[in-house]
Amino acid sequence: MNTVSGLPWTVLRVHRPALVLWGAFVAVVAGLLVWAVEIEADRARAELARCAHHDACSVTATLFYGDTIRWAGLALCFSFCAVAAWAGASLVARELESGTAQLAWTQSVSPVRWLTAKLAVPALALTLGGAVLVPLFRWVWSNNPDRLDDGWSGFNTFVALGPATVAYALCALAVGALAGLLLGRALPALGVTLALMLLLNQILGTLRADLWPKVTRTGVTAAGLPHRAWQLENGVLVHGHRVANPDYGHCVGTAARIRRCAADHGITGHYAVYHPVSHFWPLHLVETGIVLAVATAATATAFRLLRRRTA
C-alpha cells in the first residue's frame, strides 16, 4: 500500500479518538431512542390510559418519555457543534500549526489529496451516523403517545426529523477545514467555526417559516387549523385589513352580541396563517439544500485556497 492509497488509514489513525467518540455518541443516542420507544412508550401509554379516568394522577412516565425525546432531538440538532469544534481545531489547523501537513506534502502526498482524505473520511462517518440516528428519531417521534407531541415545527425537532441533521454536520466539517486553512491556528479556527455554524443555524431557524409559501385561511368565524399545523399568525379582518392579536376582549356576551360588537368595530372576519404538516418536507429540504450549498462553497474555497498557497 503506497502513501497515497494509505491516506484514509492515516486519517483514521490520527483522528481515531474523535471517530471513537462519534461512534459512541451514535451508539448511546440510538440505544436511548430504542429503549424509549420499546419500554418507556408503553409505560407512558398505560399511564395516560389510567389517568383518563382520574382527575388527579401522576404522569411521571409520560413526562420522562417526553423529556427523553426532547433531549434526543436537542442532541441531534446541535451535534454539528461538536463537529465544528473538532474540525476547526484538529482537522486542518493543528496539522498546519505543528508542521505535520507540510511534512506529509513532501512524501509523495499532494496537498489536494491530503485535504480530500481529511474531508472524505469524517464525512463518511458523519453520513453513516446520521443515516442511523435520523430514521430512529423519526420512528420514536412517530410513536409519541398523545399529549407528548411538541409538533414537527419545534426548533430542534425540525432538524432532527430529516437530513438537515447530516447537512449541518457536513457543513461544520467544511467550514472547519476552511477556517483552519485561513487561520492556521487551532484555537482561533475552533472559535470561528463554532460561531459561524451557530450563526447559520440561528439565521435559518429564524427564516424557516419563509422558506416555503404559507397557507392563509379566512372566514367569518375563527376556524380550527388542520391537525399538526404550524400556526404562524392569526387575527381578524378589519375593513379588509389583517389585524394580528386584536384587543376586542370587551366584546362579551351571547354569540349574537359578540357579532354585533365585532361589526361595530369593523371586524368582518378572521384569518390564520400556517404551514400544514404536508409542508414539512418542502421546508426541510429547502433548508437542507441551503446548508449543503454553504458546505459546497466552503469546500470549494478551501481547495482553491490550498492550491494557491502550495502552488
Side-chain angles (χ1 to χ4, degrees):
M1 181 180 296
N2 58 40
T3 305
V4 175
S5 62
L7 270 177
W9 298 108
T10 303
V11 175
L12 284 171
R13 185 173 64 253
V14 172
H15 299 290
R16 182 170 52 191
L19 295 173
V20 169
L21 285 176
W22 172 248
F25 170 80
V26 172
V28 169
V29 175
L32 180 66
L33 289 172
V34 171
W35 172 75
V37 77
E38 291 292 344
I39 298 176
E40 288 301 318
D42 290 337
R43 293 177 181 173
R45 290 191 183 94
E47 187 177 72
L48 289 176
R50 290 195 306 270
C51 292
H53 307 289
H54 300 83
D55 292 333
C57 183
S58 173
V59 289
T60 304
T62 303
L63 294 175
F64 185 76
Y65 178 74
D67 288 341
T68 301
I69 295 178
R70 281 187 284 273
W71 279 108
L74 179 68
L76 285 179
C77 177
F78 288 99
S79 58
F80 71 84
C81 291
V83 178
W86 170 77
S90 299
L91 185 66
V92 171
R94 187 173 65 182
E95 296 200 15
L96 289 175
E97 191 173 17
S98 65
T100 305
Q102 291 84 345
L103 178 62
W105 300 342
T106 64
Q107 297 179 351
S108 302
V109 178
S110 69
V112 171
R113 289 180 180 271
W114 172 82
L115 183 58
T116 300
K118 283 286 184 180
L119 291 175
V121 173
L124 178 61
L126 292 172
T127 302
L128 291 176
V132 172
L133 292 179
V134 171
L136 271 177
F137 184 82
R138 290 187 60 83
W139 174 50
V140 174
W141 184 81
S142 66
N143 281 277
N144 231 353
D146 292 339
R147 303 194 326 209
L148 289 181
D149 192 349
D150 291 333
W152 56 270
S153 61
F155 192 93
N156 303 328
T157 303
F158 183 88
V159 174
L161 281 173
T165 300
V166 178
Y168 275 107
L170 294 177
C171 188
L173 179 68
V175 172
L178 177 58
L181 286 170
L182 284 171
L183 301 175
R185 297 177 60 191
L187 288 179
L190 183 157
V192 168
T193 304
L194 189 57
L196 288 176
M197 288 306 305
L198 285 172
L199 180 63
L200 176 65
N201 177 257
Q202 294 302 309
I203 289 175
L204 289 178
T206 302
L207 299 177
R208 185 169 291 157
D210 299 317
L211 297 179
W212 197 257
K214 310 176 188 72
V215 174
T216 301
R217 172 180 288 184
T218 60
V220 177
T221 59
L225 297 181
H227 182 55
R228 288 186 175 179
W230 177 13
Q231 181 172 293
L232 303 170
E233 185 183 338
N234 66 75
V236 297
L237 298 172
V238 179
H239 302 301
H241 299 286
R242 296 180 184 178
V243 178
N245 303 316
D247 182 17
Y248 60 100
H250 55 281
C251 293
V252 295
T254 64
R257 183 174 180 180
I258 292 175
R259 285 196 296 270
R260 287 196 301 270
C261 179
D264 291 340
H265 288 81
I267 298 174
T268 58
H270 296 257
Y271 78 95
V273 181
Y274 64 95
H275 281 298
V277 69
S278 61
H279 282 193
F280 167 75
W281 280 114
L283 287 165
H284 190 93
L285 292 178
V286 169
E287 181 169 341
T288 301
I290 294 173
V291 177
L292 289 178
V294 174
T296 302
T299 302
T301 304
F303 275 103
R304 175 177 290 185
L305 179 64
L306 183 62
R307 290 191 185 96
R308 182 176 299 175
R309 287 188 174 182
T310 57

